[in-house]
Structure formats: C-alpha cells, structure tokens
Amino acid sequence: MLLNEDMTRALARDGLTVPRTHLLWMLHQQGASTQRALADALKVTPRNITGLVDGLTEAGYLTREPHPTDRRATLATLTPAGASLMDGIARGREVLAARLFGDLPADELRSFLDRIDLVTARLRAALHEAGRP
Amino acid sequence: MLLNEDMTRALARDGLTVPRTHLLWMLHQQGASTQRALADALKVTPRNITGLVDGLTEAGYLTREPHPTDRRATLATLTPAGASLMDGIARGREVLAARLFGDLPADELRSFLDRIDLVTARLRAALHEAGRP
DNA sequence: TATTGTTATACTCTATAACTATA
DNA sequence: TATAGTTATAGAGTATAACAATA
C-alpha cells in the first residue's frame, strides 16, 4: 500500500499510470507483443489494451508495428524513450532491494524468503479451496 | 496482488467494490462517521465519498443520519446488513491468518514480524528521502 | 469458423471547481 | 469567513457486445 501510493505519485510525474506502466513493463520483459498477448498477460479485455496502447502511443513510449506474418495483429513495440524509462525502473528496483535487504546475511535472507514462499503457497491453496467449495 | 484479485472477485458477489468495502470497513472500525472524516481516512476527496456513500446506500449497507449537533454534516451509519457483512469479513481475516501463521512457534512468528517491520521502516525512510532530494 | 483489434456504450473511481446551507 | 456536502464536468480504467478484416 505504501509502495503503491508512492509509485502512483512518481509515475504521474512522467505522465504515466499504474496500468500503463504495467503494460510497458511487460514489453520490457517479453519484447514486442501483440495486443492479444498483452490482454492475457495483464488479465484484462482486449478492448482495454486498445485504450492503454492509445495513451502510451500518444505519450511517445511505444508504437504499433505491423505483425510480420499475421496481418490482423499489431506488435506493441517500445520506443527508445519507453525502453530507457523501463531500464531506469529496473535499476531503481535493484537499488531499493539492496537497500532493504542488502545487509542481511545470505542464510537469513534465505530463511526469510522461504517463509514468505510457504505463506504464499498456503494462501494460494486457501484461495483455491474457497474457489470450489 | 494474489489477495487483491481474489478479494475483488469475492466482493463482486455482494455487489461491492474495493473502495466501497474500504469505506464500510472504516465505519466498522470507527463507528458512524461524517463524510469529511471518511474522506480524510480514505485519503480521497469529499466529492468521492458522496459517490461511494450513494452506492452503498442504494445497496442497503449504510444510511445517512443527521449529525446531532452540526446540521451541515451527515453521519454515515452501517445498517444491520452492513454490520453483519463486516463482521463476516473480520472473522474471515482471523481464520485466514490462523491458517497462514497459526502453526508457527511464537518466537519464530515474532522474528518474522520483526524482520518485516524493519524492512517496512527502511522502505518508509527511502520513500521519505526520495520525496525531498 | 475462429481470431485480432476496433467502435459503441456503460459503470466505477478519481479529481477540480463552483455552489448551498450551515457554523 | 470557514466548513460540510452537493452538483457539474472531466479523465482513466474496466467490461460486454457488435463489427470488420484476416486467418
């Protein structure tokens, strides 16, 4: 919650929002993608991707390129501005992680992360059960 | 993220959304409140509270009651339906917490929580610095 | 027939600004 | 003058449904 609020404020300075940045982040991770693939990745309808891509195109962070073999599809592609923005965010994450966890001995970090993994797995199991009662 | 998605889906079954439920939760914690107080608590404009309270009133989870001494103000007040819904959520939280952490020895739970508190404090400090560079 | 992306429409959350009724 | 809440207006994110172009 703490992080989310700060991120929202910081992104606003670049004319971005959380969903738009999430989309850029996917492109940064997976490379140029069809809007269909982005809809699946962001768990959102294709109609929604149209709007996000429109906004990001206007802001200069990506472009729509024709798909090389499927003329129905377009490839959302980061511009240099979009790519360098994502590089900056990736670097910021590393710096923050180092600051938050960097001084922990490796074995303590391990056991901390293991505990988190365990709790996460239990949460997943609980939600799964609740899903089919 | 895992939790948020599931909560959103579960709430939708009761005709609720995350912000509306957050408002009900505040009333459950603090008792009947003015819309001004809710705006401060949810860190949202008063105009916004008007909309959330409208929706929740229509859904039968709360009512607007006159403030006993200030005729400008209204007190958002949980209906029995709203109160019992919040009681159910409070119970659900406890059950989930017990399932996620209930088997941990007290001292291990303590050190786990201490570590989380430390990381949170560092995060807060980092954000604070970033705020005034 | 099925899939990709778009247009059309609608709802929720959010914000700012102007206004009314009270304090 | 200042405060509580509303109306007016606008923008972003989300969804469903209908449609065009292409597979």
Side-chain angles (χ1 to χ4, degrees):
Chain A
M1 322 185 180
L2 201 55
L3 244 186
N4 200 349
E5 280 173 32
D6 179 76
M7 261 180 46
T8 303
R9 220 168 329 141
L11 292 173
R13 285 201 289 268
D14 288 307
L16 283 173
T17 62
V18 169
R20 286 180 192 185
T21 308
H22 192 178
L23 193 157
L24 291 182
W25 186 250
M26 285 298 151
L27 294 182
H28 176 261
Q29 301 285 289
Q30 310 177 356
S33 309
T34 64
Q35 296 187 193
R36 177 71 226 184
L38 290 169
D40 293 340
L42 303 192
K43 287 187 192 138
V44 130
T45 62
R47 173 61 184 92
N48 229 302
I49 300 296
T50 300
L52 298 176
V53 168
D54 284 350
L56 288 165
T57 298
E58 196 171 349
Y61 292 122
L62 59 75
T63 58
R64 284 183 170 97
E65 302 297 335
H67 190 286
T69 65
D70 187 339
R71 288 198 299 177
R72 295 170 304 179
T74 66
L75 285 177
T77 309
L78 289 179
T79 61
S84 92
L85 191 71
M86 287 306 103
D87 285 344
I89 287 183
R91 236 177 299 118
R93 281 167 63 109
E94 284 172 24
V95 168
L96 182 61
R99 172 148 179 188
L100 296 183
F101 303 106
D103 68 329
L104 271 188
D107 59 331
E108 290 194 32
L109 181 60
R110 210 15 35 239
S111 75
F112 182 61
L113 294 180
D114 284 348
R115 195 136 294 170
I116 287 180
D117 284 346
L118 174 62
V119 170
T120 304
R122 286 178 177 176
L123 176 57
R124 222 178 275 275
L127 297 180
H128 188 259
E129 271 180 38
R132 48 226 86 229
Chain B
M1 324 191 179
L2 201 54
L3 244 187
N4 200 349
E5 280 173 32
D6 180 75
M7 261 179 46
T8 304
R9 219 167 331 139
L11 292 173
R13 286 200 287 270
D14 288 306
L16 283 173
T17 61
V18 169
R20 285 180 192 186
T21 308
H22 191 179
L23 193 156
L24 290 181
W25 186 250
M26 285 298 150
L27 294 182
H28 176 261
Q29 301 284 290
Q30 311 177 354
S33 310
T34 64
Q35 298 189 190
R36 176 73 226 184
L38 290 170
D40 293 340
L42 303 193
K43 288 188 191 135
V44 130
T45 62
R47 172 59 184 93
N48 230 302
I49 300 295
T50 300
L52 297 176
V53 168
D54 283 351
L56 288 165
T57 299
E58 195 172 348
Y61 292 122
L62 58 76
T63 59
R64 283 183 170 95
E65 302 297 335
H67 190 287
T69 67
D70 186 339
R71 287 198 300 176
R72 296 170 304 177
T74 66
L75 286 176
T77 309
L78 288 179
T79 61
S84 91
L85 190 70
M86 287 306 102
D87 286 343
I89 287 183
R91 238 177 298 117
R93 281 167 64 110
E94 284 171 25
V95 169
L96 182 60
R99 172 149 178 188
L100 295 183
F101 303 104
D103 68 329
L104 271 188
D107 59 331
E108 290 194 33
L109 181 60
R110 213 13 34 241
S111 74
F112 182 62
L113 293 180
D114 284 347
R115 195 136 296 169
I116 287 179
D117 285 345
L118 173 62
V119 170
T120 304
R122 286 176 178 178
L123 177 57
R124 223 176 274 275
L127 297 179
H128 189 260
E129 270 179 39
R132 49 227 85 230

